[in-house]
Amino acid sequence: MGIEIKNQEIENQMRELARNLLNEKKVDVIIGYAKGTVPLSSAPIMITNEEDIDKLIWNNLCYINLAKYLVPRIPQLIDPEGNNLKVGIVSKGCVGRALIHLAVEKQINLDDIKIIGIPCNGIINRKKVEKEIDEKEILEVSASGNDIVVKGKDFEQKFPFDEYINELCKVCKVKSPPTDASISEACVGECQEISNLEDDFADLAEFEAKSSKEKWDYIKDLLKTCTRCYACREACPMCYCNLCFVDQNKPIWFGKTTELSDIIVFHLIRAMHLAGRCVACGACSSVCPMGIDLNLITRKLEKMVKERFDFTSGIDSETLPPMMSFNMDDEQEFMLEED
Amino acid sequence: MTVKNEQEAEKSEEWEPKIIAFLCNWCSYAGADLAGVSRIQYPPNIRIVRVPCSGRVNPYFIVKSLTDGWDGVVVSGCHPGDCHYLTGNLVARRRFAILKELLEFFGIEPGRVNFMWASAAEGERFAVLIRKATKIVKELGPNKKFEKKW
Ligand code: SF4
Ligand code: SF4
Ligand code: FES
């Protein structure tokens, strides 16, 4: 089955579910994806009227993690009467993971939320496509069969879908939102029970085999164009701190310049903050205006917490995340010891 | 002395790293003190900052030390189970594990940042570990990765 047909099916189902939720007054607002203002993009949309349901779309450009709109960094969805609004949220797998993790961190209450689960089939790597066509202006993007078709003024190019999706999507094992007994109430649409997530992190092997110097050169090269616009932070559902460390000025933890050392510190500390919390949605890479692909760091975070603490974020709503807890028997092979 | 001679003199004079050490008040700081009063020698490369608990050591402190030009960082606290605040060092241990692995992943020598446990009664152990940490950092050479160009 071609991707366009599958997407259409998903879209129809999703609209149906959303319409029912609104009609039955189970939710006050639906958060979903709408057509973007330029090709190769999508936009978030909040729908309160049934007539607008047809504005909801699903395709392989829905890269935003919608869970971001529920966390307090942006004013909360609270109506004037003081009641929490009921929200229906269109959820691909990683949005579902973000919702569960945010609930574990007590940032949202899943009682007020309906997870409209959809089986995601991967998000297009916009930067890779753009690079491939020399950043020429794109007029239309569509899917056909197993290809992404990109049309411009005087060109039309096809890209094999499986190759041109985000690196994170290639290794993703949670295509539709996870659910378990305690949150199944909140789930409508396609959700899945996940008991144990196995991952061999083979995609990281190549990088990790590099020498320290090679790693440094690679990371330096990867991040050197970063302008510290913080789009990655703004897109991140886990970056909801009211005062992010980059904005703190008493004390100033690190310089405000785009010099390499400051860039590295930004990404290092941000990674630190996301250990055991990042849900690997890839929204940060998708929104980066400089085309920096942060998937390597994302995967490393997942690997570290999986191997050290046997934890995967946003999979179940019961386990306490590793950085919020501790254990007397944790590995401590890195501590300095007498010979 | 000519300029050349001066340079030569500088070269032959061994380079010594500067290391900042965050020591918890209840164990390691007292351990350092014990090393002192027992006249156990340890390298004079470390500059001590006394913190209430190893759990107080925010990764920002460590990273900022590196960007501020310290060649190495040491964090030392009570042994697991002995923390004055019961679990401060257990929380810290998880943080340190992640930080150390991330540094390695970024290609920054993980040896610049060293974590250790030393109790108030372990003056000898404290001196041994500081010697070891100093040796590691010295072998790595000056901290250049975070050097500011402007
Ligand atoms: S980068 Fe860190 S401090 Fe800033 S918003 Fe994200 S989690 Fe919070
Ligand atoms: S979005 Fe890209 S350029 Fe902006 S701060 Fe993040 S990595 Fe840097
Ligand atoms: S008081 Fe020493 S580590 Fe907590």
Side-chain angles (χ1 to χ4, degrees):
Chain A
M1 201 193 322
I3 313 158
E4 74 277 23
I5 306 172
K6 224 189 230 159
N7 283 345
Q8 195 59 51
E9 253 174 38
I10 296 173
E11 191 173 286
N12 292 343
Q13 258 168 27
M14 167 185 81
R15 285 183 183 165
E16 196 54 40
L17 286 168
R19 186 171 286 123
N20 288 345
L21 284 175
L22 268 185
N23 276 345
E24 291 165 19
K25 299 248 177 324
K26 285 209 179 111
V27 301
D28 304 302
V29 56
I30 298 275
I31 304 181
Y33 299 100
K35 206 164 156 335
T37 44
V38 288
L40 212 58
S41 80
S42 64
I45 188 172
M46 319 232 166
I47 294 175
T48 47
N49 260 331
E50 206 214 313
E51 304 103 69
D52 294 334
I53 287 281
D54 287 336
K55 288 187 186 155
L56 280 181
I57 61 154
W58 170 255
N59 58 31
N60 307 95
L61 287 164
C62 298
Y63 49 79
I64 306 168
N65 194 325
L66 295 175
K68 178 75 192 178
Y69 297 101
L70 295 176
V71 279
R73 204 178 149 89
I74 293 174
Q76 249 172 324
L77 292 162
I78 288 183
D79 72 2
E81 258 87 74
N83 301 316
N84 281 14
L85 284 183
K86 302 254 185 244
V87 181
I89 180 164
V90 174
S91 306
K92 50 180 178 168
C94 41
V95 176
R97 282 181 68 182
L99 291 172
I100 293 180
H101 193 84
L102 287 169
V104 171
E105 289 188 1
K106 302 262 187 297
Q107 296 302 315
I108 57 173
N109 185 352
L110 284 180
D111 295 342
D112 297 331
I113 291 167
K114 289 276 176 238
I115 300 172
I116 307 171
I118 50 179
C120 174
N121 36 12
I123 301 298
I124 295 173
N125 189 335
R126 305 157 72 202
K127 304 293 153 51
K128 197 167 167 187
V129 170
E130 272 170 3
K131 217 176 265 162
E132 210 68 29
I133 53 165
D134 295 329
E135 323 229 335
K136 276 185 283 191
E137 196 189 354
I138 299 169
L139 296 176
E140 203 193 315
V141 180
S142 56
S144 129
N146 281 320
D147 290 322
I148 307 161
V149 188
V150 180
K151 280 191 202 132
K153 208 161 159 229
D154 43 15
F155 68 94
E156 181 179 324
Q157 216 166 319
K158 280 189 180 175
F159 299 97
F161 182 74
D162 292 337
E163 226 172 280
Y164 281 83
I165 57 176
N166 284 338
E167 297 303 314
L168 288 174
C169 299
K170 288 182 192 169
V171 292
C172 170
K173 297 190 172 53
V174 193
K175 305 274 181 202
S176 44
T179 180
D180 57 39
S182 57
I183 60 162
S184 60
E185 271 290 279
C187 302
V188 297
E190 194 158 324
C191 297
Q192 55 176 341
E193 283 212 28
I194 297 171
S195 51
N196 191 20
L197 213 60
E198 284 304 327
D199 200 331
D200 56 3
F201 297 98
D203 52 317
L204 273 180
E206 194 194 335
F207 182 80
E208 291 198 314
K210 286 189 202 297
S211 73
S212 185
K213 188 177 174 305
E214 286 168 336
K215 281 183 192 163
W216 173 254
D217 288 343
Y218 187 97
I219 293 275
K220 211 161 70 174
D221 221 43
L222 176 73
L223 299 177
K224 67 170 188 254
T225 54
C226 172
T227 57
R228 301 219 355 226
C229 65
Y230 307 139
C232 44
R233 177 195 68 179
E234 293 308 316
C236 177
M238 297 307 152
C239 276
Y240 54 73
C241 304
N242 285 338
L243 185 59
C244 173
F245 78 105
V246 301
D247 299 322
Q248 277 175 27
N249 51 11
K250 249 179 174 187
I252 295 180
W253 290 113
F254 68 118
K256 305 284 181 202
T257 70
T258 48
E259 205 189 319
L260 189 71
S261 92
D262 287 338
I263 296 176
I264 296 283
V265 173
F266 167 56
H267 286 279
L268 186 70
I269 303 256
R270 202 176 96 88
M272 192 73 217
H273 289 177
L274 292 174
R277 307 177 61 235
C278 173
V279 291
C281 61
C284 47
S285 307
S286 290
V287 298
C288 176
M290 301 308 288
I292 296 171
D293 197 337
L294 297 168
N295 80 75
L296 204 62
I297 299 175
T298 301
R299 286 293 283 166
K300 176 65 182 172
L301 291 176
E302 285 217 298
K303 182 174 178 198
M304 273 191 299
V305 291
K306 180 78 191 167
E307 286 183 350
R308 253 178 206 284
F309 309 117
D310 194 23
F311 179 82
T312 308
S313 53
I315 296 299
D316 72 290
S317 53
E318 314 273 289
T319 322
L320 211 54
M323 303 313 271
M324 283 166 78
S325 53
F326 50 83
N327 189 338
M328 190 63 195
D329 307 320
D330 283 338
E331 289 289 337
Q332 54 170 358
E333 82 297 341
F334 60 90
M335 302 287 304
L336 212 58
E337 277 303 331
E338 292 172 68
D339 296 315
Chain B
M1 228 200 287
T2 63
V3 177
K4 204 173 161 225
N5 279 350
E6 241 174 57
Q7 278 173 348
E8 261 161 28
E10 227 170 66
K11 242 189 233 161
S12 64
E13 209 178 282
E14 226 181 310
W15 172 79
E16 287 293 335
K18 277 209 199 91
I19 300 173
I20 185 169
F22 297 97
L23 308 185
C24 108
N25 180 37
W26 304 99
C27 287
S28 300
Y29 192 80
D33 201 28
L34 181 65
V37 293
S38 324
R39 306 189 172 229
I40 304 169
Q41 276 281 335
Y42 62 83
N45 303 57
I46 63 163
R47 310 288 187 277
I48 295 174
V49 178
R50 180 162 62 154
V51 289
C53 170
S54 62
R56 175 65 183 94
V57 179
N58 192 319
Y60 299 165
F61 298 1
I62 297 168
V63 176
K64 187 164 169 50
S65 302
L66 290 176
T67 52
D68 282 356
W70 292 90
D71 299 306
V73 184
V74 163
V75 182
S76 184
C78 318
H79 286 273
D82 294 347
C83 174
H84 187 70
Y85 309 98
L86 305 179
T87 55
N89 54 1
L90 301 183
V91 176
R93 182 166 62 183
R94 289 203 161 180
R95 251 182 248 149
F96 299 158
I98 297 288
L99 179 63
K100 194 129 174 155
E101 247 188 271
L102 272 177
L103 285 174
E104 205 261 84
F105 190 77
F106 273 59
I108 300 161
E109 311 87 349
R112 290 214 183 276
V113 182
N114 291 296
F115 303 105
M116 57 179 82
W117 310 129
S119 82
E122 292 175 327
E124 179 66 48
R125 176 182 156 92
F126 180 82
V128 169
L129 290 183
I130 291 295
R131 254 178 250 141
K132 194 168 170 189
T134 310
K135 187 161 165 269
I136 295 174
V137 177
K138 198 163 172 179
E139 271 162 17
L140 290 174
N143 169 16
K144 286 244 159 61
K145 294 235 158 88
F146 290 102
E147 216 168 43
K148 295 250 177 179
K149 311 251 161 11
W150 28 280

